[in-house]
Every structure is written in structure tokens, then in C-alpha cells.
Amino acid sequence: MTPPELSRRAVLAAGAAAAAFGQARSEAADAPAPIPQDRPVRIAMILYPGMTALDLVGPQALLAGLAPNSLYLVAQSAGPIASDTGLGLVATHAFEACPPDLDVLFVPGGDGTPAQMRDPALLSFLRERAPRAAWLASVCTGSLILGAAGLLRGYRATSHWCVRDAVLPLLGAVPVAERVVFDRNRATAAGISAGLDLALALAARLRGPDYARTAQLVAEYAPEPPFQAGTPTQAGPAIVRAADAILAPLVAGATEAAKR
């Protein structure tokens, strides 16, 4: 005869598994369909002062092949934009010139995130275009900007580890400690380098796994980092303290913006 405690554990485990399966099936059903093969994907990628260049450039390199003549680098005004390390990027379109119907609306993160979380023009643009975009995507603290626009309430999401658990809940999101998180038509990535993973995962949903595998091979994306220090757990307390000191102004600014 099965012990009562074991039986209860089995029932609870089965219930949790069924709930997780149901959630995954529901999220898959709510996800956008792949883009038809006979038309380019329409992608708008946001630029703003103080963004992290790699948040955008990595995904752009992997997604550009899907969007010949239909990938728009969008900012409040067209022209040069300085990233948070001083590297200049060029916005090809102002907000008002961006096409209204998009397959992907993408937001990068960076040191400029707190200011963008309070920027009425950017937040208005995101709120206006989000209902007509198949996918909303972000890298790093770009998810905080989506959250500040009210676009992550009730969604599972990730962000850079320094703000994920403390700031995302202030914006109504459910923080998830994963490198890439998909919830219905929201796709969010953890810090900076995770943008490459998001781009490949998103490419697979837009045009199929073989396309994504081909893009990965063309990019020779087979990372073998010289150190295992890419997460706080791997890095250890001393390195975390050093990183915390660098990231403290971003964390403080994002927290203040989220509370507003």
C-alpha cells in the first residue's frame, strides 16, 4: 500500500506538471505564427542615447537576413546616436516614419535605460505600435523600457541580473532567471551577450529552426569563454562586488524610474 505522504507528494507533483504543461501549451498557442516565406520580415529596432551597442548590433546581424529592405533602426530623430561606450550608431527612421505594421519591435538596454523609462515620446511610440506588432522583444534592460510602457504586466520576463528580480516586479512583470524567456508574443533576453541567443531563438520562430541554425553557423557562434564568470553564481562574491559598483548607478536610476 502506498504511504499517504508519498501519495500526496505524487498528486502534488502530477498537478504541478499538468499546470506547467497547460501553461506551455497555452503560451505556444498564443504565440504568433511563422512569417510567410514569400515576404521579408518587418523589424523595427529602437536606438536611444546611452544604449549598449552590442544589445542591438548582435541581434541585428543575425536577423538582418530575414529583413532585406525592411529592417528599420528607429529613434526619436533620424541620425547618429551615441551608445553608452561612445560608439556611434545611425537611426535610419524617426518614430513617425516607422511603418505601422511590424513583425518584430525590438528594444535594447544600456546605461541610458532609466532616462528612456521616463521618456514620453518613446513610451508613447511603444504603446502605439505594440498592438500591431507580432513580437515584442528586448535585450538586457530593454525589458525595463517595455515594462515602463506597461507592456510586460502579467508576462514572464528576464533582464540583466542586476535589475531582474528587483525592478521587473515593480513594472508588473514576473522575473525569470533564464537567458531567454518567451511568453506568448513577448521575447526577452538577459544581459548583453544573451541578445545573440534571443536572435537565434526568435529567428527559429519567424522562419524555422534550419534558418536559425544556418545563421548560427555563418556567424560561427560557438562560444567558449576564457572564464566562467558570466553569472553572479559563477563569478563569486569578490567579482560580484566589483560589478555591483559599476552597475550601481544603472540599478538606482532604473529602480527610481520604475517606482514612478
Side-chain angles (χ1 to χ4, degrees):
M1 184 175 178
T2 304
E5 184 60 30
L6 179 58
S7 177
R8 284 193 294 270
R9 286 200 300 268
V11 170
L12 290 172
F21 175 76
Q23 180 185 24
R25 184 170 60 181
S26 173
E27 290 172 3
D30 292 338
I35 304 304
Q37 297 281 343
D38 61 352
R39 75 162 174 83
V41 179
R42 300 163 303 201
I43 302 173
M45 308 183 87
I46 302 298
L47 278 68
Y48 58 82
M51 60 172 286
T52 295
L54 186 57
D55 283 9
L56 181 137
V57 173
Q60 192 272 351
L62 293 172
L63 295 172
L66 290 171
N69 302 313
S70 59
L71 194 154
Y72 310 97
L73 302 178
V74 182
Q76 191 162 346
S77 300
I81 305 288
S83 71
D84 56 9
T85 61
L87 179 67
L89 302 170
V90 178
T92 58
H93 291 70
F95 289 154
E96 63 270 17
C98 179
D101 296 307
L102 299 166
D103 298 306
V104 179
L105 178 56
F106 174 95
V107 183
D111 290 345
T113 294
Q116 301 309 308
M117 292 172 69
R118 297 188 295 265
D119 185 89
L122 174 55
L123 299 182
S124 177
F125 173 79
L126 293 173
R127 292 179 187 124
E128 176 189 330
R129 299 307 173 92
R132 301 179 68 168
W135 289 99
L136 301 183
S138 66
V139 172
C140 196
T141 55
S143 59
L144 304 186
I145 299 173
L146 287 178
L151 300 173
L152 289 182
R153 291 194 185 102
Y155 286 86
R156 300 166 67 250
T158 192
S159 193
H160 193 285
W161 60 264
C162 72
V163 294
R164 181 191 62 227
D165 296 332
V167 183
L168 277 177
L170 299 175
L171 301 166
V174 180
V176 181
E178 294 178 6
R179 195 159 170 83
V180 176
V181 174
F182 283 86
D183 186 347
R184 289 158 282 178
N185 75 329
R186 270 52 166 178
T188 55
I192 309 177
S193 64
L196 296 171
D197 295 11
L198 177 135
L200 291 172
L202 189 56
R205 287 161 171 79
L206 292 167
R207 196 48 62 78
D210 282 350
Y211 179 93
R213 292 187 182 100
T214 303
Q216 181 176 355
L217 179 58
V218 169
E220 199 173 355
Y221 179 42
E224 294 182 4
F227 306 103
Q228 293 301 313
T231 68
T233 301
Q234 291 175 329
I239 301 302
V240 170
R241 285 194 295 271
D244 280 341
I246 294 169
L247 295 166
L250 171 60
V251 175
T255 301
E256 181 184 356
K259 288 180 177 178
R260 290 185 179 182

